[in-house]
Amino acid sequence: MTASRTGRPRAHASIEDAFRAHAIPTEDGHVQWTGATNSTSRTPTALHGPHRESAYKVAFRLEHGREPVGMVKPTCGMRGCVAGAHMEDGPMRAANRPQPSRPAHRAVPRAEIIALLGEGHSDRYIVRTLGTSQQRVRRIRTELELPRPVLTVEQKWASQAEQLDGGHMRWTGPTSSRYGTPILCHGNARLQAAAFAFRLRHGRDPVGYVKAGCGMPHCVAPAHVEDRPMRESLRTQFDLIFGVAG
């Protein structure tokens, strides 16, 4: 709130006015939030009397002239930025989500498939390497009576993590039925694919829940996943730079 001539806080006329009072444009096109934040998620929060609303949602509404659908998040990479032009709701994120580029199946000589089968590669590896169909590889394996290779857990993870543009990786293996969490199955073990990616990258077990910090839901790229201490460290750095709003 701004101060009146009597020195008392002046009530804002609307939640939008309360938002504008704490949204400070920067020279590089971002908008820094100086108001309240959620104590748990640190999400910028606009206050108007008893009413509390995400500053991201208010910024979206002011920018697009409509209510957002689903959660609103900034896309600029600057934590806590509340620039309306940097906000996206659920449908906008879905429309902008990178789509996997699948190569068209080519006429692969049978001999090339047999050569890779003889080297002990998995069907999935051969499909990706040669750009042929999985059905054809399986048929040739069956005709030659070749056993399916036993993959290490690292090979199993790599066989189900599909590289996308922007360094992202999409999980093509099983997922949990409730939340869609990528699951790595190896023998009798069921592991979180993101947690395994974290170990591949950092050489240690994660602390707490592991999730992607890149903005792509369920991305399993080792360079994009974060555990709880990493997220807390990023929040601490953000607070040191911009200060903790009351």
Side-chain angles (χ1 to χ4, degrees):
M1 295 184 181
T2 57
S4 66
R5 292 182 179 179
T6 62
R8 297 178 180 176
R10 179 183 300 160
H12 299 295
S14 64
I15 193 76
E16 289 76 16
D17 285 344
F19 168 85
R20 295 187 185 98
H22 295 289
I24 310 301
T26 64
E27 294 181 353
D28 53 2
H30 300 289
V31 176
Q32 180 182 344
W33 182 249
T34 63
T37 58
N38 181 282
S39 59
T40 302
S41 65
R42 299 295 179 89
T43 301
T45 303
L47 306 178
H48 180 238
H51 183 41
R52 301 170 61 91
E53 188 173 9
S54 163
Y56 295 156
K57 185 175 180 180
V58 179
F60 183 96
R61 189 165 60 243
L62 289 172
E63 176 73 17
H64 298 283
R66 65 172 176 85
E67 290 294 333
V69 177
M71 184 176 293
V72 177
K73 297 179 181 179
T75 61
C76 57
M78 174 181 167
R79 294 195 61 178
C81 176
V82 294
H86 297 176
M87 298 296 128
E88 286 186 353
D89 64 352
M92 293 172 69
R93 285 194 299 277
N96 295 330
R97 188 171 300 155
Q99 298 297 319
S101 54
R102 298 182 180 275
H105 294 160
R106 65 185 182 89
V108 179
R110 179 183 172 90
E112 291 186 21
I113 298 176
I114 293 175
L116 292 182
L117 285 171
E119 294 175 6
H121 294 292
S122 68
D123 294 356
R124 191 183 296 266
Y125 173 87
I126 297 172
V127 168
R128 291 185 178 180
T129 302
L130 300 181
T132 188
S133 70
Q134 193 166 22
Q135 292 79 4
R136 188 182 181 206
V137 175
R138 287 177 177 174
R139 183 175 66 251
I140 294 175
R141 182 186 291 278
T142 300
E143 291 172 358
L144 299 178
E145 299 183 351
L146 295 174
R148 296 179 62 84
V150 178
L151 302 180
T152 66
V153 65
E154 291 82 6
Q155 290 171 330
K156 185 67 175 292
W157 181 90
S159 72
Q160 297 180 326
E162 182 177 11
Q163 187 72 52
L164 303 178
D165 293 338
H168 302 291
M169 297 190 82
R170 184 175 71 94
W171 187 249
T172 63
T175 59
S176 67
S177 58
R178 186 173 184 181
Y179 297 111
T181 303
I183 301 297
L184 172 62
C185 299
H186 187 254
N188 295 326
R190 285 173 58 87
L191 311 170
Q192 280 196 11
F196 189 82
F198 183 94
R199 283 192 287 271
L200 288 176
R201 173 77 174 185
H202 300 283
R204 66 172 175 86
D205 287 335
V207 177
Y209 186 69
V210 176
K211 60 182 179 180
C214 59
M216 175 180 167
H218 301 310
C219 175
V220 295
H224 292 184
V225 293
E226 302 171 347
D227 67 350
R228 188 180 64 221
M230 292 176 66
R231 292 191 295 273
E232 291 175 349
S233 176
L234 288 173
R235 283 197 294 267
T236 299
Q237 294 176 36
F238 176 81
D239 291 341
L240 290 173
I241 295 173
F242 300 107
V244 180

